[in-house]
Amino acid sequence: WLAAVIAHSGRSTDVGHYYAFARVGEGWFEFNDARVERVAEETVLSSQACILFYERRGGSPVDVALGRKRTRSTDLTSP
C-alpha cells in the first residue's frame, strides 16, 4: 500500500526542488514548501518519484500465510 512519495523536479538531484505526496485516508495531498493541496492519484503516480514509502497492511507475508492476525500493532497471535 503506497503511503507517501518524495518527488523531485529539476535537471539533477543537486539542482531542482523536492516535494512530497502523502495519502490521507483515501485521498492524496501534495506538500510543497508552505503549500498543501489535495491532488489526484494520477498526479502522484506520474511524478518524478525518488523515494517511496509503503505501509504494511494485514501483517507480514509470513503472518498472512500462516493465518496469524494482528490484534495490536505489536502483538501477533495464532488463529
Side-chain angles (χ1 to χ4, degrees):
W1 175 266
L2 184 61
V5 173
I6 303 295
H8 179 266
S9 62
R11 292 186 322 206
S12 70
T13 56
D14 295 335
V15 178
H17 183 70
Y18 288 91
Y19 54 100
F21 297 101
R23 185 188 301 265
V24 178
E26 295 299 317
W28 283 95
F29 286 82
E30 178 181 357
F31 297 84
N32 194 339
D33 293 334
R35 183 175 53 85
V36 177
E37 67 182 24
R38 189 176 187 114
V39 296
E41 184 175 52
E42 293 77 25
T43 301
V44 178
L45 299 178
S46 65
S47 69
Q48 294 295 316
C50 298
I51 302 172
L52 305 176
F53 295 88
Y54 288 91
E55 177 183 336
R56 186 181 326 173
R57 298 173 61 96
S60 72
V62 171
D63 295 326
V64 171
L66 295 175
R68 290 188 256 180
K69 295 183 180 169
R70 184 182 300 266
T71 57
R72 294 185 314 216
S73 61
T74 58
D75 180 35
L76 292 173
T77 58
S78 297

mmCIF file of all heavy atoms in Angstrom, residues 35-61:
data_model
loop_
_atom_site.group_PDB
_atom_site.id
_atom_site.type_symbol
_atom_site.label_atom_id
_atom_site.label_comp_id
_atom_site.label_asym_id
_atom_site.label_seq_id
_atom_site.Cartn_x
_atom_site.Cartn_y
_atom_site.Cartn_z
ATOM 1 N N ARG A 35 2.834 25.191 0.966
ATOM 2 C CA ARG A 35 1.566 24.919 0.281
ATOM 3 C C ARG A 35 1.199 23.447 0.428
ATOM 4 O O ARG A 35 2.015 22.557 0.191
ATOM 5 C CB ARG A 35 1.698 25.276 -1.206
ATOM 6 C CG ARG A 35 0.428 25.108 -2.007
ATOM 7 C CD ARG A 35 0.619 25.593 -3.436
ATOM 8 N NE ARG A 35 1.764 24.991 -4.106
ATOM 9 C CZ ARG A 35 1.730 23.817 -4.741
ATOM 10 N NH1 ARG A 35 0.630 23.129 -4.804
ATOM 11 N NH2 ARG A 35 2.812 23.362 -5.335
ATOM 12 N N VAL A 36 -0.048 23.202 0.815
ATOM 13 C CA VAL A 36 -0.584 21.840 0.887
ATOM 14 C C VAL A 36 -1.897 21.840 0.121
ATOM 15 O O VAL A 36 -2.766 22.688 0.364
ATOM 16 C CB VAL A 36 -0.842 21.399 2.356
ATOM 17 C CG1 VAL A 36 -1.474 20.014 2.393
ATOM 18 C CG2 VAL A 36 0.440 21.441 3.158
ATOM 19 N N GLU A 37 -2.038 20.913 -0.829
ATOM 20 C CA GLU A 37 -3.292 20.842 -1.574
ATOM 21 C C GLU A 37 -3.615 19.409 -1.952
ATOM 22 O O GLU A 37 -2.723 18.570 -2.115
ATOM 23 C CB GLU A 37 -3.260 21.732 -2.808
ATOM 24 C CG GLU A 37 -2.289 21.320 -3.886
ATOM 25 C CD GLU A 37 -2.298 22.300 -5.055
ATOM 26 O OE1 GLU A 37 -2.679 23.467 -4.866
ATOM 27 O OE2 GLU A 37 -1.918 21.885 -6.152
ATOM 28 N N ARG A 38 -4.891 19.138 -2.085
ATOM 29 C CA ARG A 38 -5.351 17.815 -2.496
ATOM 30 C C ARG A 38 -5.059 17.633 -3.981
ATOM 31 O O ARG A 38 -5.234 18.569 -4.770
ATOM 32 C CB ARG A 38 -6.850 17.673 -2.231
ATOM 33 C CG ARG A 38 -7.353 16.280 -2.419
ATOM 34 C CD ARG A 38 -8.828 16.178 -2.055
ATOM 35 N NE ARG A 38 -9.191 14.784 -2.096
ATOM 36 C CZ ARG A 38 -9.556 14.073 -1.056
ATOM 37 N NH1 ARG A 38 -9.658 14.654 0.125
ATOM 38 N NH2 ARG A 38 -9.851 12.809 -1.177
ATOM 39 N N VAL A 39 -4.579 16.429 -4.355
ATOM 40 C CA VAL A 39 -4.262 16.141 -5.752
ATOM 41 C C VAL A 39 -4.858 14.783 -6.136
ATOM 42 O O VAL A 39 -5.169 13.957 -5.281
ATOM 43 C CB VAL A 39 -2.735 16.132 -6.016
ATOM 44 C CG1 VAL A 39 -2.138 17.508 -5.782
ATOM 45 C CG2 VAL A 39 -2.035 15.096 -5.167
ATOM 46 N N ALA A 40 -4.965 14.576 -7.427
ATOM 47 C CA ALA A 40 -5.452 13.292 -7.942
ATOM 48 C C ALA A 40 -4.355 12.236 -7.827
ATOM 49 O O ALA A 40 -3.153 12.558 -7.886
ATOM 50 C CB ALA A 40 -5.872 13.443 -9.403
ATOM 51 N N GLU A 41 -4.738 10.995 -7.683
ATOM 52 C CA GLU A 41 -3.769 9.906 -7.605
ATOM 53 C C GLU A 41 -2.880 9.864 -8.842
ATOM 54 O O GLU A 41 -1.696 9.545 -8.751
ATOM 55 C CB GLU A 41 -4.497 8.572 -7.424
ATOM 56 C CG GLU A 41 -3.558 7.397 -7.240
ATOM 57 C CD GLU A 41 -4.291 6.110 -6.948
ATOM 58 O OE1 GLU A 41 -5.216 5.777 -7.717
ATOM 59 O OE2 GLU A 41 -3.933 5.456 -5.965
ATOM 60 N N GLU A 42 -3.422 10.227 -10.001
ATOM 61 C CA GLU A 42 -2.643 10.234 -11.237
ATOM 62 C C GLU A 42 -1.471 11.214 -11.149
ATOM 63 O O GLU A 42 -0.414 10.979 -11.720
ATOM 64 C CB GLU A 42 -3.540 10.593 -12.431
ATOM 65 C CG GLU A 42 -4.590 9.558 -12.754
ATOM 66 C CD GLU A 42 -5.790 9.599 -11.803
ATOM 67 O OE1 GLU A 42 -6.070 10.665 -11.198
ATOM 68 O OE2 GLU A 42 -6.429 8.556 -11.640
ATOM 69 N N THR A 43 -1.651 12.316 -10.424
ATOM 70 C CA THR A 43 -0.575 13.286 -10.232
ATOM 71 C C THR A 43 0.577 12.648 -9.458
ATOM 72 O O THR A 43 1.752 12.826 -9.801
ATOM 73 C CB THR A 43 -1.101 14.518 -9.468
ATOM 74 O OG1 THR A 43 -2.173 15.102 -10.214
ATOM 75 C CG2 THR A 43 -0.006 15.541 -9.252
ATOM 76 N N VAL A 44 0.241 11.894 -8.427
ATOM 77 C CA VAL A 44 1.262 11.207 -7.627
ATOM 78 C C VAL A 44 1.987 10.173 -8.470
ATOM 79 O O VAL A 44 3.222 10.120 -8.494
ATOM 80 C CB VAL A 44 0.622 10.532 -6.392
ATOM 81 C CG1 VAL A 44 1.667 9.785 -5.585
ATOM 82 C CG2 VAL A 44 -0.121 11.543 -5.544
ATOM 83 N N LEU A 45 1.227 9.359 -9.194
ATOM 84 C CA LEU A 45 1.814 8.266 -9.967
ATOM 85 C C LEU A 45 2.639 8.745 -11.153
ATOM 86 O O LEU A 45 3.512 8.022 -11.622
ATOM 87 C CB LEU A 45 0.712 7.314 -10.435
ATOM 88 C CG LEU A 45 -0.080 6.638 -9.312
ATOM 89 C CD1 LEU A 45 -1.188 5.760 -9.883
ATOM 90 C CD2 LEU A 45 0.837 5.843 -8.398
ATOM 91 N N SER A 46 2.407 9.965 -11.622
ATOM 92 C CA SER A 46 3.169 10.482 -12.766
ATOM 93 C C SER A 46 4.315 11.395 -12.326
ATOM 94 O O SER A 46 5.017 11.955 -13.167
ATOM 95 C CB SER A 46 2.244 11.219 -13.727
ATOM 96 O OG SER A 46 1.701 12.367 -13.107
ATOM 97 N N SER A 47 4.527 11.541 -11.023
ATOM 98 C CA SER A 47 5.605 12.412 -10.541
ATOM 99 C C SER A 47 6.964 11.737 -10.723
ATOM 100 O O SER A 47 7.057 10.537 -10.952
ATOM 101 C CB SER A 47 5.386 12.745 -9.058
ATOM 102 O OG SER A 47 5.579 11.597 -8.259
ATOM 103 N N GLN A 48 8.019 12.529 -10.610
ATOM 104 C CA GLN A 48 9.389 12.015 -10.681
ATOM 105 C C GLN A 48 9.781 11.527 -9.281
ATOM 106 O O GLN A 48 10.500 12.204 -8.545
ATOM 107 C CB GLN A 48 10.336 13.105 -11.177
ATOM 108 C CG GLN A 48 10.086 13.527 -12.600
ATOM 109 C CD GLN A 48 10.376 12.386 -13.568
ATOM 110 O OE1 GLN A 48 11.372 11.697 -13.449
ATOM 111 N NE2 GLN A 48 9.481 12.186 -14.515
ATOM 112 N N ALA A 49 9.297 10.364 -8.922
ATOM 113 C CA ALA A 49 9.485 9.832 -7.570
ATOM 114 C C ALA A 49 10.941 9.467 -7.311
ATOM 115 O O ALA A 49 11.607 8.882 -8.155
ATOM 116 C CB ALA A 49 8.599 8.613 -7.377
ATOM 117 N N CYS A 50 11.422 9.824 -6.124
ATOM 118 C CA CYS A 50 12.776 9.466 -5.682
ATOM 119 C C CYS A 50 12.732 8.406 -4.596
ATOM 120 O O CYS A 50 13.539 7.488 -4.583
ATOM 121 C CB CYS A 50 13.496 10.684 -5.127
ATOM 122 S SG CYS A 50 13.744 11.993 -6.299
ATOM 123 N N ILE A 51 11.806 8.571 -3.670
ATOM 124 C CA ILE A 51 11.669 7.648 -2.542
ATOM 125 C C ILE A 51 10.196 7.312 -2.379
ATOM 126 O O ILE A 51 9.342 8.203 -2.394
ATOM 127 C CB ILE A 51 12.206 8.278 -1.236
ATOM 128 C CG1 ILE A 51 13.665 8.681 -1.394
ATOM 129 C CG2 ILE A 51 12.031 7.316 -0.062
ATOM 130 C CD1 ILE A 51 14.213 9.480 -0.236
ATOM 131 N N LEU A 52 9.912 6.030 -2.224
ATOM 132 C CA LEU A 52 8.543 5.568 -1.996
ATOM 133 C C LEU A 52 8.431 5.016 -0.584
ATOM 134 O O LEU A 52 9.314 4.301 -0.121
ATOM 135 C CB LEU A 52 8.174 4.467 -2.997
ATOM 136 C CG LEU A 52 8.348 4.803 -4.473
ATOM 137 C CD1 LEU A 52 8.044 3.585 -5.327
ATOM 138 C CD2 LEU A 52 7.471 5.970 -4.868
ATOM 139 N N PHE A 53 7.337 5.333 0.087
ATOM 140 C CA PHE A 53 7.068 4.820 1.433
ATOM 141 C C PHE A 53 5.827 3.944 1.361
ATOM 142 O O PHE A 53 4.801 4.371 0.845
ATOM 143 C CB PHE A 53 6.817 5.969 2.415
ATOM 144 C CG PHE A 53 8.011 6.848 2.624
ATOM 145 C CD1 PHE A 53 8.244 7.934 1.791
ATOM 146 C CD2 PHE A 53 8.902 6.590 3.652
ATOM 147 C CE1 PHE A 53 9.344 8.751 1.979
ATOM 148 C CE2 PHE A 53 10.009 7.401 3.853
ATOM 149 C CZ PHE A 53 10.227 8.479 3.013
ATOM 150 N N TYR A 54 5.959 2.737 1.882
ATOM 151 C CA TYR A 54 4.840 1.794 1.878
ATOM 152 C C TYR A 54 4.387 1.501 3.295
ATOM 153 O O TYR A 54 5.198 1.467 4.218
ATOM 154 C CB TYR A 54 5.253 0.480 1.203
ATOM 155 C CG TYR A 54 5.414 0.621 -0.281
ATOM 156 C CD1 TYR A 54 6.642 0.945 -0.835
ATOM 157 C CD2 TYR A 54 4.334 0.440 -1.127
ATOM 158 C CE1 TYR A 54 6.796 1.080 -2.206
ATOM 159 C CE2 TYR A 54 4.474 0.573 -2.493
ATOM 160 C CZ TYR A 54 5.708 0.895 -3.030
ATOM 161 O OH TYR A 54 5.846 1.038 -4.375
ATOM 162 N N GLU A 55 3.100 1.276 3.447
ATOM 163 C CA GLU A 55 2.524 0.876 4.718
ATOM 164 C C GLU A 55 2.101 -0.580 4.601
ATOM 165 O O GLU A 55 1.404 -0.951 3.653
ATOM 166 C CB GLU A 55 1.304 1.746 5.021
ATOM 167 C CG GLU A 55 0.581 1.372 6.274
ATOM 168 C CD GLU A 55 -0.663 2.215 6.481
ATOM 169 O OE1 GLU A 55 -0.735 3.341 5.954
ATOM 170 O OE2 GLU A 55 -1.579 1.731 7.155
ATOM 171 N N ARG A 56 2.569 -1.388 5.527
ATOM 172 C CA ARG A 56 2.188 -2.796 5.518
ATOM 173 C C ARG A 56 0.753 -2.906 6.013
ATOM 174 O O ARG A 56 0.381 -2.320 7.010
ATOM 175 C CB ARG A 56 3.102 -3.588 6.433
ATOM 176 C CG ARG A 56 2.836 -5.073 6.341
ATOM 177 C CD ARG A 56 3.684 -5.888 7.236
ATOM 178 N NE ARG A 56 5.012 -5.319 7.402
ATOM 179 C CZ ARG A 56 5.908 -5.770 8.235
ATOM 180 N NH1 ARG A 56 5.655 -6.781 8.992
ATOM 181 N NH2 ARG A 56 7.077 -5.199 8.332
ATOM 182 N N ARG A 57 -0.057 -3.666 5.319
ATOM 183 C CA ARG A 57 -1.454 -3.851 5.700
ATOM 184 C C ARG A 57 -1.725 -5.338 5.835
ATOM 185 O O ARG A 57 -1.391 -6.102 4.957
ATOM 186 C CB ARG A 57 -2.364 -3.223 4.658
ATOM 187 C CG ARG A 57 -2.141 -1.720 4.539
ATOM 188 C CD ARG A 57 -2.893 -1.108 3.406
ATOM 189 N NE ARG A 57 -4.319 -1.262 3.540
ATOM 190 C CZ ARG A 57 -5.138 -0.355 4.041
ATOM 191 N NH1 ARG A 57 -4.650 0.786 4.448
ATOM 192 N NH2 ARG A 57 -6.424 -0.566 4.112
ATOM 193 N N GLY A 58 -2.284 -5.729 6.955
ATOM 194 C CA GLY A 58 -2.647 -7.131 7.145
ATOM 195 C C GLY A 58 -1.512 -7.997 7.644
ATOM 196 O O GLY A 58 -1.591 -9.212 7.543
ATOM 197 N N GLY A 59 -0.443 -7.426 8.156
ATOM 198 C CA GLY A 59 0.659 -8.229 8.662
ATOM 199 C C GLY A 59 1.675 -8.547 7.588
ATOM 200 O O GLY A 59 1.492 -8.251 6.414
ATOM 201 N N SER A 60 2.754 -9.181 8.008
ATOM 202 C CA SER A 60 3.804 -9.541 7.063
ATOM 203 C C SER A 60 3.329 -10.691 6.182
ATOM 204 O O SER A 60 2.384 -11.404 6.535
ATOM 205 C CB SER A 60 5.063 -9.968 7.814
ATOM 206 O OG SER A 60 4.863 -11.237 8.411
ATOM 207 N N PRO A 61 3.956 -10.927 5.043
ATOM 208 C CA PRO A 61 3.559 -12.045 4.187
ATOM 209 C C PRO A 61 3.601 -13.381 4.920
ATOM 210 O O PRO A 61 2.753 -14.241 4.704
ATOM 211 C CB PRO A 61 4.579 -11.991 3.042
ATOM 212 C CG PRO A 61 5.015 -10.573 2.999
ATOM 213 C CD PRO A 61 4.994 -10.098 4.430
#
